[in-house]
Every structure is written in structure tokens, then in C-alpha cells.
Amino acid sequence: DVKVTQSSRYLVKRTGEKVFLECVQDMDHENMFWYRQDPGLGLRLIYFSYDVKMKEKGDIPEGYSVSREKKERFSLILESASTNQTSMYLCASSETSGVYNEQFFGPGTRLTVL
Amino acid sequence: SQQGEEDPQALSIQEGENATMNCSYKTSINNLQWYRQNSGRGLVHLILIRSNEREKHSGRLRVTLDTSKKSSSLLITASRAADTASYFCALVLLGGNTGKLIFGQGTTLQVKP
């Protein structure tokens, strides 16, 4: 079974802090994704990566950056956390760049910024 | 918006009944996928239907796709309390090559025992 793990289930940070969310997948997938999920808005893509050290902006990249130094790990960075970044963050991975691949999701990190 | 629009937003049924959720979209797609999310957890892939397919089955799930109407439906037959979850449609746009998904807002299904 594919396993996607995220470093924390719940996280509370203060405004202005630098926040790191870590995601690890164990199936040698090439693609990795970061989404945020907010009530009534569904999932929105923040960034994705199709290879080590490669990244592309999604629909809402402002205020976020990412890092992919190893194939299995994809990190989301909030440079200076703000209250409007309080949300559920979901990481996902998929096998290749093909369009017929399903995405496998981690359990999510619920981030609260005070 | 390229996002899928899901209808209804919420659905409450009794165990044993069928549940139908709909997804409409405005652009051309390569395929459409359905995912389930149990409360506060990650999403799980249910089924993928390609743009040249009209219907697919997987266990108690039946998905239809009408590209002329730009709509899809997910039918869960003989529902169980364990089917209580949120269900999302996700689009892969035509011309895309990265497997990027565009999600709808979801339908929340409650199945009462």
C-alpha cells in the first residue's frame, strides 16, 4: 500500500512564525502536491513537484514556498504565517506525469495561526 | 471557473437507500475522478472515468459521464453508515500532462443507521 505521511496532525503557530510542513511518501512517486482545504472551497492546489528540485506554482502559491531535495519528501514552507493561512493542509503523491494516475493523500495537517 | 460544481452540497439518507451526487464543469476534460474523505482525514481515490467512457462500476459505485452536458454523477447503491463522508469530483483538464487535479467543493453524505 502507498503510504503518505505528514509530520503533524495538528499544529498551532503564531503570526509571523516560519512554519514547515513535511510530507513523505514511500512508493517512489515522481509527483507530489500540496493542497489547502477550506470549508465551501474544496481543495485548492498550492504547489506541486514532478521531480526532485522541480516545482510549479498551483492556483494559490502566494505566501508559500516549497522544497523537494529528495524524491520521497516534499516540504511546504510558510515564510511568515498569517491568520488567513489557518486551514487544513493535505499532501498527495502520484506515480508519474501521466494524466490517468490517481493521487494518494496523507492524513492532513490542521494548522491554526494565532 | 474551471472547478467542478457539485450538487447537492449535503445529502442525508437512510441506510439501504441509494445516494446520487452530481458534478458539473465548464471546460474540456481528459478524465474525471471521484474521491472520498472521511471526517477530518485525507482523501481516498474511488474511481476514474475517461472522457471517452460513459459509465464505470466499482462494487456498489456507479459513475456516469456525459461530456456533451459536461456532467458526471456518482451513485452509491444500498448505502451503509460507513459511507458517511464527503465526496469530491476532480477534473484532469484536456491538454494537461502533469496529472494536476482540479477539485469541486464536495458533497457531504450522511447515512443514518
Side-chain angles (χ1 to χ4, degrees):
Chain A
D1 277 355
V2 175
K3 195 165 184 184
V4 180
T5 56
Q6 295 183 230
S7 50
S8 307
R9 287 300 316 280
Y10 300 94
L11 208 52
V12 179
K13 296 292 182 180
R14 298 220 170 263
T15 301
E17 280 192 74
K18 191 168 186 175
V19 181
F20 293 86
L21 302 182
E22 304 285 338
C23 175
V24 178
Q25 50 93 4
D26 66 358
M27 283 300 289
D28 204 33
H29 283 177
E30 293 181 9
N31 291 352
M32 296 189 75
F33 307 83
W34 274 108
Y35 297 90
R36 65 176 282 176
Q37 182 178 21
D38 300 287
L41 296 177
L43 277 76
R44 294 178 291 167
L45 182 64
I46 305 171
Y47 266 98
F48 65 102
S49 168
Y50 50 88
D51 201 353
V52 176
K53 296 193 187 295
M54 305 299 288
K55 61 185 180 184
E56 284 201 24
K57 293 180 180 179
D59 300 315
I60 52 164
E62 296 79 19
Y64 303 94
S65 62
V66 290
S67 171
R68 192 162 180 205
E69 296 296 319
K70 293 185 178 181
K71 192 174 186 179
E72 68 270 18
R73 187 179 298 268
F74 191 35
S75 302
L76 179 70
I77 303 155
L78 286 65
E79 296 290 343
S80 178
S82 64
T83 55
N84 62 12
Q85 292 179 310
T86 291
S87 187
M88 169 73 105
Y89 289 88
L90 292 162
C91 174
S93 70
S94 67
E95 193 168 334
T96 68
S97 295
V99 298
Y100 298 114
N101 295 305
E102 64 181 279
Q103 291 187 14
F104 295 85
F105 282 80
T109 295
R110 190 167 293 280
L111 172 67
T112 302
V113 183
L114 301 175
Chain B
S1 168
Q2 296 174 329
Q3 193 176 31
E5 300 285 334
E6 297 195 54
D7 172 61
Q9 289 187 4
L11 182 59
S12 182
I13 60 174
Q14 294 294 136
E15 208 165 24
E17 294 180 340
N18 295 342
T20 299
M21 289 157 262
N22 302 295
C23 174
S24 60
Y25 55 93
K26 295 181 179 179
T27 188
S28 296
I29 62 170
N30 180 288
N31 67 82
L32 186 148
Q33 303 180 25
W34 285 91
Y35 287 78
R36 182 188 73 224
Q37 182 181 36
N38 290 94
S39 179
R41 310 293 294 188
L43 280 72
V44 174
H45 181 263
L46 296 176
I47 200 164
L48 180 154
I49 187 164
R50 301 185 181 204
S51 60
N52 61 353
E53 296 175 315
R54 292 296 166 258
E55 190 170 309
K56 266 188 111 166
H57 296 255
S58 176
R60 293 183 296 111
L61 305 181
R62 172 178 168 248
V63 169
T64 61
L65 179 64
D66 186 334
T67 52
S68 66
K69 294 182 178 177
K70 290 186 164 53
S71 68
S72 174
S73 66
L74 170 67
L75 168 68
I76 304 173
T77 59
S79 63
R80 305 167 182 169
D83 294 327
T84 294
S86 293
Y87 293 82
F88 294 87
C89 67
L91 315 174
V92 176
L93 300 185
L94 192 65
N97 62 359
T98 60
K100 178 182 166 183
L101 293 174
I102 299 174
F103 283 86
Q105 296 111 322
T107 293
T108 300
L109 172 66
Q110 182 187 29
V111 181
K112 299 175 186 175

